[in-house]
Structure formats: structure tokens, C-alpha cells
Amino acid sequence: WAPVKQLTVRASAGKGYSTVNPWAEYNYLLSASLPIKITENLTQEEAYNYGISSTFATSLFNRPFSISGEYYFTDFKNQVILDRDSNPGEINITDLNGKSYSHTIQFDMNYEVFEGFTFAAAYRYNDVKETYNGVKRTKPLTSRYKGLVSLSYLTPLELWQFDLTLQLNGGGRLPSSPVINNTKIYSESYSAFAQLSGQVTRHFRHFSVYIGG
């Protein structure tokens, strides 16, 4: 729906199925050097998903400017989960027994400050929970939020490009067996951390060369 020229609103709803091949999708777990146990005859995943997003695009000081926001909700009826809480010394790939859902909210902005120089910023909040041994908990090793600021400059002749990106990863929960004391569950967690990266690119007619860190 576009109530005015600068604004668009989108909504969606759907249902999806997925058949999981554990060794293909989770092969990175082999580097953990932990025993991996896979439940036989895993159930096909089934989920409902809903979303709404909006984009506002206009000009600011005669330069392109856009801001957008979106919200998505996924509700799993069946899901294959990585259970690292029941026994932190091993990895269990098994069927979900309980509730599992994901809420995601994201905002982002893009602005061309002047010819060739663009500024982008984004923020995303995640609320992802799964059920482990009958207890609904935050999914481990999933950052609660992410932030991003990016600067990019392309010279007038489009020969050189300079990029600088700062990414902030919010803290999250580490795999741990729940310790119940007066009905409260205590969990180990990791702190937020930032990552800064830069890159310089030289464009040629048929290829590009870059260096970054």
C-alpha cells in the first residue's frame, strides 16, 4: 500500500515447511570437538510467519534519503533444535518439544551526504526463544541486538572506493544447564562486542583489487 508517493507499507503472512539434513546444515559443529547426537527420524519443520514493513523515501538537502522499519514474527509448530543446554558437554540435534518463536524488529537509514559519499545505519532487536527439557529459554549464542554504521565513498571517476563499517553485536546467553532456585533460572552470558572493518578498493575495467582489515 502506498498512501503517498514517498511511503510504502507491506504486510505478509505465510506458512512454511523444511526438511532438515543435519550433517549438511550443521557441518560447522564438527569443529567444536564435542560429541554430536542426532535423533532418528527427525520431524519436518513447520512454521507460521507474519511480517510488516514500511519504507519512507524522500530527499534531504536535495540528496536521496530513506528510512525503513520492519517487524517479523515466526511461530514454530515443529522444529529441529540444537540442544546444548541439557548437557553442555555434547550437542543434541532433536525435535522441538514445546514452544519456539522469533520476534525481529529492525530499523535502517540510508543517506547520500554528497555525490559518491553514502551513510547507512541499522539496528535490529531479536527475541528468540526455544524450549529445552520443558523449559522455555532464550536461544543460546544469539545476540539480543545488532547495530551497524557504514560509510562509503566512491571517487568521481569511480576508480577508488573507501569503506568503513562499525558493527555492534549485543550480548547473549551461553549454553548452560538451568539451575532452578526459587523458580528463577540463572544463565551464563557473554557481553556485547564491537567490530570495526575498513577497505580500500581500486576498480579497473574488468576487475577490482582491494585491501582491508
Side-chain angles (χ1 to χ4, degrees), residues 14-205:
K15 185 179 183 181
Y17 298 88
S18 174
T19 300
V20 176
N21 185 331
W23 292 117
E25 299 189 29
Y26 303 120
N27 57 68
Y28 64 90
L29 295 174
L30 297 174
S31 64
S33 299
L34 292 174
I36 300 176
K37 296 183 178 180
I38 302 176
T39 299
E40 294 185 3
N41 301 319
L42 291 170
T43 305
Q44 187 181 52
E45 293 188 324
E46 176 186 358
Y48 291 92
N49 54 80
Y50 313 90
I52 184 169
S53 64
S54 180
T55 301
F56 180 75
T58 184
S59 61
L60 184 64
F61 303 110
N62 297 319
R63 309 303 305 177
F65 171 80
S66 66
I67 185 170
S68 61
E70 60 186 43
Y71 164 74
Y72 288 96
F73 171 62
T74 302
D75 183 18
F76 284 93
K77 299 306 177 184
N78 296 313
Q79 185 184 18
V80 174
I81 63 171
L82 299 179
D83 183 0
R84 306 180 73 167
D85 289 327
S86 298
N87 183 354
E90 64 183 26
I91 299 173
N92 287 284
I93 301 177
T94 184
D95 286 319
L96 173 72
N97 183 15
K99 291 185 175 294
S100 175
Y101 60 81
S102 168
H103 295 276
T104 302
I105 301 174
Q106 178 169 316
F107 298 95
D108 56 76
M109 181 192 72
N110 291 275
Y111 180 52
E112 187 178 47
V113 183
F114 54 83
E115 187 71 30
F117 181 71
T118 58
F119 169 82
Y123 176 83
R124 182 174 65 201
Y125 175 77
N126 302 306
D127 178 22
V128 185
K129 287 187 169 60
E130 295 177 343
T131 302
Y132 307 97
N133 277 342
V135 180
K136 186 173 66 176
R137 309 181 69 190
T138 300
K139 184 177 179 179
L141 303 178
T142 301
S143 294
R144 286 186 293 269
Y145 62 87
K146 287 182 178 288
L148 177 76
V149 175
S150 177
L151 305 175
S152 179
Y153 176 64
L154 182 64
T155 57
L157 296 179
E158 299 186 355
L159 296 178
W160 291 91
Q161 183 172 344
F162 304 88
D163 296 283
L164 186 67
T165 301
L166 174 65
Q167 181 173 313
L168 179 64
N169 297 276
R173 186 175 71 82
L174 292 172
S176 58
S177 298
V179 178
I180 301 177
N181 183 11
N182 295 328
T183 71
K184 184 174 182 180
I185 299 176
Y186 297 90
S187 299
E188 299 292 334
S189 62
Y190 60 91
S191 302
F193 62 95
Q195 181 178 13
L196 179 67
S197 60
Q199 180 171 300
V200 178
T201 306
R202 174 63 163 89
H203 297 287
F204 297 91
R205 173 173 256 179

